[in-house]
């Protein structure tokens, strides 16, 4: 039974990460070929995916979806999470896709654990270990190889594109760290569902869902349906469910499927080609971040064991 549960967890995590990778490529197609405004795509996605996840929390998980509104402190935290964390994380990521393409955007966002680590170290919530610093250094070497092809005088992306990509990683760091208390209290579906819905409401003042600013045809509806239902609501629910069966370190490894899928599909669908040096850079980033995240989990387990023994 335990082995079956583990297989179920592996399938759920791999499936969720794969759908996220496809999601990024679909968004890339909408931006590059159909000229959709990033603000409209992000606002529509957040609004409707938020509704779906809240329905999942209420109807499937049987949660009181309005419980988080009953305490002022929790509501303020939720509003900060939705207006800053969710909006910055999602908007900058999709803006990075529109600027850099899905492949590079997912790679840059995948470095977010490094920024989380820096914050925790500065807050003295985490101790510095030399091996972690080595993994961070290798990750930045990988990014350097991707954006320069190893040539300091040549950037494959604009300075603004690189800043947007790094900004998306910082957005994920804020998105991960800020709501820790309410996530623990209410669970991910409720917090993320409201975060998406309220974040989507913010975009209705910028690019409302009824004013797309471009021609919406059957093809656009199909792409958006996939992005909202499959690439967001189902992918999130699947990956979240996998955590009931898998340890966090293994989930970190499987999360690397997202940038891999995005890069492969981008090369196939949009004919974006990477050089050998850039491929080495991509592999370096993925391996470095996975090792970094897993080493952090190992240290946490050792510290927990030591405290129990004391």
């Amino acid at each position: 039974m335990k082995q079956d549960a583990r297989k179920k967890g592996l399938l759920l995590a791999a499936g969720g990460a794969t759908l996220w990778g496809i999601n990024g490529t679909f968004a890339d197609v909408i931006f590059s070929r159909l000229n959709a405004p990033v603000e409209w795509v992000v606002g529509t996605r957040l609004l409707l995916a938020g509704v779906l996840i809240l329905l999942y929390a209420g109807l499937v998980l049987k949660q009181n979806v309005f419980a988080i509104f009953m305490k002022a402190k929790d509501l303020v935290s939720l509003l900060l999470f939705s207006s800053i964390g969710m909006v910055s994380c999602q908007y900058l990521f999709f803006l990075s896709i529109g600027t850099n393409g899905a492949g590079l955007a997912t790679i840059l966002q995948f470095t977010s654990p490094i920024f989380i680590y820096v914050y925790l170290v500065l807050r003295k919530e985490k101790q510095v270990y030399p091996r972690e610093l080595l993994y961070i250094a290798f990750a930045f070497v990988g990014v350097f190889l991707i954006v320069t092809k190893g040539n300091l005088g040549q950037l494959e992306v604009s300075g603004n594109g690189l800043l947007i990509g790094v900004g998306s990683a910082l957005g994920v760091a804020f998105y991960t760290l800020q709501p820790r208390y309410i996530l623990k209290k209410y669970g991910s579906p409720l917090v993320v569902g409201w975060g998406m819905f309220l974040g989507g409401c913010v975009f209705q003042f910028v690019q409302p869902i009824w004013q797309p600013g471009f021609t919406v045809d059957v093809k656009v509806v199909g792409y958006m349906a996939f992005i909202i239902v499959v690439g967001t609501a189902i992918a999130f629910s699947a990956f979240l469910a996998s955590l009931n069966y898998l340890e966090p370190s293994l989930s970190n490894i499987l999360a690397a499927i997202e940038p891999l899928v995005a890069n492969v599909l981008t090369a196939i669908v949009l004919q974006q080609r990477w050089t050998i040096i850039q491929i080495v850079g991509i592999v370096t980033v993925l391996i470095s971040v996975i090792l970094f995240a897993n080493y952090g989990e190992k240290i946490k387990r050792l510290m927990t064991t030591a405290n129990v023994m004391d």
Side-chain angles (χ1 to χ4, degrees):
M1 288 294 291
K2 189 175 181 180
Q3 191 65 25
D4 290 340
R6 187 175 178 82
K7 287 179 181 178
K8 184 177 180 180
L10 290 170
L11 287 173
L12 286 168
T18 300
L19 292 176
W20 277 328
I22 299 172
N23 187 53
T25 304
F26 272 40
D28 201 346
V29 171
I30 287 181
F31 297 139
S32 62
R33 292 186 176 175
L34 304 177
N35 299 315
V38 174
E39 293 78 9
W40 183 82
V41 172
V42 174
T44 302
R45 175 197 184 223
L46 289 180
L47 194 69
L48 299 182
V51 170
L52 291 175
I53 293 172
L54 286 173
L55 287 173
Y56 169 75
L59 299 178
V60 179
L61 301 181
K62 305 299 182 183
Q63 291 182 285
N64 176 6
V65 295
F66 297 103
I68 197 169
F69 290 88
M70 302 305 174
K71 290 195 175 182
K73 180 183 176 182
D74 297 345
L75 177 57
V76 170
S77 182
L78 174 65
L79 292 174
L80 285 173
F81 170 65
S82 62
S83 61
I84 300 176
M86 184 64 73
V87 168
S88 66
C89 169
Q90 298 296 320
Y91 178 62
L92 289 175
F93 177 57
F94 274 75
L95 191 61
S96 181
I97 289 176
T99 306
N100 303 318
L104 181 56
T106 51
I107 288 292
L108 291 174
Q109 192 180 66
F110 193 64
T111 62
S112 60
I114 293 170
F115 297 103
I116 295 172
Y117 168 82
V118 171
Y119 173 84
L120 294 177
V121 167
L122 292 175
R123 291 268 300 177
K124 297 183 179 179
E125 294 183 39
K126 186 171 179 59
Q127 187 176 340
V128 177
Y129 294 95
R131 190 180 297 184
E132 290 176 318
L133 296 178
L134 182 63
Y135 293 147
I136 291 172
F138 274 117
F140 281 113
V141 168
V143 172
F144 168 80
L145 293 176
I146 296 168
V147 301
T148 67
K149 294 183 180 179
N151 184 352
L152 275 172
Q154 176 183 334
L155 274 179
E156 287 299 300
V157 297
S158 67
N160 285 339
L162 187 56
L163 286 175
I164 291 169
V166 172
S168 73
L170 288 170
V172 172
F174 184 91
Y175 169 97
T176 304
L177 292 166
Q178 186 271 335
R180 284 181 288 176
Y181 170 75
I182 56 174
L183 280 171
K184 187 175 181 180
K185 186 174 181 180
Y186 298 100
S188 295
L190 192 62
V191 174
V192 174
W194 277 118
M196 285 187 173
F197 178 77
L198 295 174
C201 288
V202 171
F203 278 96
Q204 301 315 302
F205 295 97
V206 181
Q207 189 93 35
I209 193 171
W210 58 88
Q211 293 179 359
F214 73 114
T215 302
V216 177
D217 55 18
V218 175
K219 188 180 293 186
V220 172
V221 171
Y223 281 132
M224 288 302 296
F226 181 91
I227 288 172
I228 293 165
V229 179
V230 182
T232 303
I234 293 177
F236 164 78
S237 300
F239 197 82
L240 182 67
S242 75
L243 299 177
N244 295 321
Y245 309 102
L246 301 176
E247 58 273 20
S249 58
L250 186 53
S251 297
N252 289 327
I253 294 174
L254 293 169
I257 293 174
E258 179 190 356
L260 285 174
V261 169
N263 278 280
V264 170
L265 283 181
T266 299
I268 295 171
V269 176
L270 296 172
Q271 285 82 51
Q272 180 180 337
R273 295 291 180 261
W274 298 105
T275 66
I276 295 298
I277 291 179
Q278 288 177 308
I279 292 172
V280 170
I282 290 170
V283 173
T284 301
V285 171
L286 294 178
I287 292 176
S288 298
V289 173
I290 290 170
L291 290 174
F292 171 80
N294 289 346
Y295 186 74
E297 288 292 332
K298 180 180 178 182
I299 293 298
K300 190 186 297 183
R301 287 196 300 270
L302 290 173
M303 294 295 290
T304 302
T305 303
N307 289 335
V308 170
M309 291 179 67
D310 288 343

